[in-house]
Amino acid sequence: MFPNLKVENLSCVRSETTLFENLNFEVLPGQNLEIIGSNGSGKTTLLRVILGLAKQESGKLSWLNSDNNYETFRTFNCFYQGHNLAIKNLLTVYENLYMTKVSSKLTDEKIMLSLNRVGLTRSNEFAGNLSVGQRKRISIARWLLDDYKIYFIDEPFSALDNEATSLIENLIEELNDKGSSFVITGHRPSNIVANRIDI
Amino acid sequence: MTNWINLILRKDLLIAFRRSSTYITPLIFFLIVITFFPLALGPNQNLLSSLAPGIIWIAALLASLLSMETIFSDDYRDGTLDSFFISLEPTFLLVLMKVAIHWLITGLPLLIAASLASLILYLPFESFLPLLLSLVLGTSFMSLLGSLGASLSLGKSAILSAIIVLPFSIPTLLMGTAVVTSAALGQDYNGFLMIMGAMLAIGIPVISLLTVEALQLNYE
C-alpha cells in the first residue's frame, strides 16, 4: 500500500522559534494520524505547512499521484477544516453546503443526506443564527460531499458535546473503511484509531 | 473549473445581495457627493457643467475605495481563502472572479448613478456616452487595483488599502476626466479611452498575478 503523503525531515521556524524539526511520518490510505500538542506548539502550523498554507524551513513533502509516483506538489483534492470553519453567516445551512467545491455535481439528495447524517434539520436557517456546535456540524457535513483522500482537521473535537464527538468518531471510522485518511490535531489523544505524533 | 467559477460568482453575489451595505454604501456616498456640489457651488449651470467631469470622476473613485477592503477580508477571516488555496484551482482566476464580482456590486451601480449625476451637474448630452465608457474602463481598473490593495492590507486597517490604491488611481482619474472634458468640448476623446483600455488590458494579467503573490505573503 502506497502512502498518499510522505513527510521527511520537516522543520518549521516562526519568529526565530523552532516549532518542530525533523518530523517524519506517512499517511497511508484508511489510516489516521493524530498530532498532539499544547497551545502554541505548532499543530495548526504543521497542518498548514503540509497543505502549502505556511512555509516550511526545510524538509520534503511527497504526494502520491495517479501513476503511484511521488510529486512534491499535491495532485489530489484534500479537505481542510481549520479553526475558522469557512462558513458564511449570510448563507443558509443548505447554501453553505451547496456552494462547496466538489469534484462531481452536488445533488439535493446528497446534501440532505449529509445534513441528516450530522443531525442538522434546519437547512433553511442562516448559518449566522446557529450555535458554535451547530456550525461545526455544517463543516462536518462537508466531509461527506466528496471523496477526499485525506482530511486535515484542526481540533475536530473542540467545542463539541459527547453526542457530536461520537458522531465524528463514527464518521471517521466509516470514511476510513472507504480508504480515506484523517490527519487531526488535538490537545490530548482521542478515541479514534490513529498513529500519534507529539509536538 | 467552470463549476468552481460559477460557485464563487453565485456565492459572493448572493452574500453581497443579502448584505446590502456592500453595494448601497458606495452608491449613497457617490450620490451625496454629487448632490452636495451644486448646493455648495450654487446652481450656476455653466460652472457645474464645466466641473462635472472632475466631480463625477472624483466621486466615483472615492466611492469605489469604500468597499475595496471587503474584496478578500471576509474570506480571509472565516477561512474560505484557505480552501481556495487548497483547491488546486488557479488562484489568479479566483482574483479575477473577485474583481469581477466587486465591479458588479460597486462599479455597475455607479454607472447607473452616473446617469443621474450627469443630469444634476448639467453634463452636456454628447458627453454622456464617453462618460459611461470611461467609467466602465476606469471602475474596472479601480476594482483591479482595489484587489491588490486589499490583498496587501489583509488583516490590517481598512484605510491601508485606500492609501495603497490612491496614488495608482491618479492616471485613471486624469484619463477619465480627460475623456469627458474632451467630449464636452467636441474634441476627439478616443485616444484617452484607448489609454484607459490599455491600462486595463495590461492590468488584468499583471495586477491579478501581483495580487496572488500578495495574498500568499499573508501565509508566510
Side-chain angles (χ1 to χ4, degrees):
Chain A
M1 201 188 295
F2 294 98
N4 282 320
L5 168 65
K6 289 197 291 191
V7 175
E8 297 165 270
N9 298 319
L10 191 66
S11 301
C12 180
V13 176
R14 284 288 176 274
S15 305
E16 298 178 1
T17 304
T18 302
L19 290 178
F20 48 84
E21 58 183 340
N22 297 326
L23 279 182
N24 292 277
F25 56 86
E26 292 177 346
V27 180
L28 287 149
Q31 293 188 13
N32 304 318
L33 179 72
E34 197 165 8
I35 301 162
I36 310 291
S38 55
N39 291 337
S41 59
K43 307 185 296 298
T44 301
T45 305
L46 175 56
L47 286 190
R48 294 173 73 81
V49 165
I50 292 171
L51 288 165
L53 296 175
K55 235 181 174 177
Q56 66 205 62
E57 187 69 20
S58 61
K60 188 179 172 189
L61 294 162
S62 305
W63 300 88
L64 189 68
N65 65 17
S66 53
D67 298 324
N68 285 340
N69 295 320
Y70 284 94
E71 312 278 4
T72 54
F73 52 88
R74 188 161 41 86
T75 59
F76 53 82
N77 216 359
C78 293
F79 185 89
Y80 173 64
Q81 179 182 304
H83 288 293
N84 303 317
L85 304 171
I87 289 172
K88 295 295 184 188
N89 290 337
L90 286 173
L91 297 181
T92 62
V93 172
Y94 181 90
E95 286 165 348
N96 267 290
L97 290 186
Y98 183 75
M99 302 212 189
T100 304
K101 180 186 176 289
V102 293
S103 54
S104 57
K105 190 166 167 35
L106 264 181
T107 59
D108 285 350
E109 189 188 354
K110 196 166 190 178
I111 293 173
M112 296 313 295
L113 273 172
S114 301
L115 288 175
N116 287 335
R117 185 71 181 82
V118 301
L120 279 175
T121 52
R122 299 183 295 168
S123 62
N124 289 328
E125 185 79 40
F126 282 103
N129 295 337
L130 301 180
S131 67
V132 170
Q134 288 171 321
R135 289 159 61 82
K136 204 147 190 180
R137 287 182 189 237
I138 299 175
S139 188
I140 295 167
R142 282 189 178 138
W143 298 5
L144 305 168
L145 297 182
D146 204 352
D147 297 320
Y148 299 101
K149 283 191 181 174
I150 308 180
Y151 292 78
F152 293 89
I153 314 290
D154 200 353
E155 299 191 27
F157 301 108
S158 70
L160 290 180
D161 54 28
N162 290 338
E163 183 194 342
T165 301
S166 297
L167 168 70
I168 292 179
E169 288 168 355
N170 293 336
L171 269 175
I172 290 176
E173 205 177 316
E174 281 173 29
L175 290 168
N176 283 158
D177 291 339
K178 292 180 184 173
S180 297
S181 311
F182 279 78
V183 178
I184 68 172
T185 69
H187 297 299
R188 60 189 69 82
S190 68
N191 293 330
I192 66 166
V193 176
N195 299 316
R196 292 193 167 86
I197 295 177
D198 287 309
I199 63 168
Chain B
M1 192 187 297
T2 315
N3 186 40
W4 180 68
I5 290 171
N6 283 338
L7 275 179
I8 297 174
L9 273 171
R10 289 180 65 176
K11 181 161 64 176
D12 282 16
L13 286 174
L14 191 54
I15 291 171
F17 180 71
R18 289 176 181 170
R19 187 190 294 138
S20 53
S21 61
T22 313
Y23 56 87
I24 284 181
T25 303
L27 197 58
I28 300 285
F29 177 85
F30 178 83
L31 290 172
I32 287 174
V33 171
I34 294 298
T35 51
F36 271 35
F37 267 93
L39 293 175
L41 298 175
N44 187 321
Q45 183 171 336
N46 289 334
L47 176 64
L48 288 174
S49 177
S50 65
L51 294 176
I55 294 171
I56 292 174
W57 255 101
I58 289 172
L61 199 141
L62 293 177
S64 62
L65 282 178
L66 285 177
S67 60
M68 273 177 194
E69 185 259 342
T70 61
I71 294 177
F72 297 113
S73 60
D74 283 350
D75 288 344
Y76 181 69
R77 267 196 297 267
D78 65 27
T80 307
L81 206 56
D82 294 351
S83 61
F84 288 143
F85 278 111
I86 291 167
S87 71
L88 300 178
E89 301 288 353
T91 316
F92 81 90
L93 265 187
L94 162 73
V95 169
L96 288 176
M97 284 300 107
K98 288 289 194 178
V99 168
I101 291 163
H102 182 262
W103 184 82
L104 284 172
I105 294 166
T106 56
L108 188 57
L110 284 179
L111 283 185
I112 299 166
S115 316
L116 186 60
S118 62
L119 290 172
I120 294 172
L121 296 174
Y122 302 106
L123 193 71
F125 180 74
E126 51 272 15
S127 303
F128 182 65
L129 182 61
L131 170 69
L132 287 184
L133 289 173
S134 68
L135 280 174
V136 166
L137 294 173
T139 52
S140 303
F141 189 74
M142 288 302 299
S143 290
L144 206 49
L145 269 181
S147 71
L148 180 58
S151 61
L152 286 169
S153 61
L154 214 49
K156 302 174 185 67
S157 168
I159 196 71
L160 188 58
S161 63
I163 292 171
I164 292 169
V165 165
L166 259 174
F168 297 100
S169 61
I170 292 173
T172 310
L173 174 65
L174 293 175
M175 291 298 115
T177 315
V179 167
V180 186
T181 305
S182 300
L185 294 173
Q187 297 168 354
D188 184 23
Y189 53 83
N190 288 322
F192 298 117
L193 271 180
M194 284 184 197
I195 291 174
M196 294 183 82
M199 283 166 56
L200 184 62
I202 295 170
I204 286 174
V206 173
I207 297 178
S208 58
L209 288 173
L210 285 174
T211 304
V212 169
E213 291 300 315
L215 285 173
Q216 287 174 342
L217 278 176
N218 289 288
Y219 287 92
E220 291 177 4

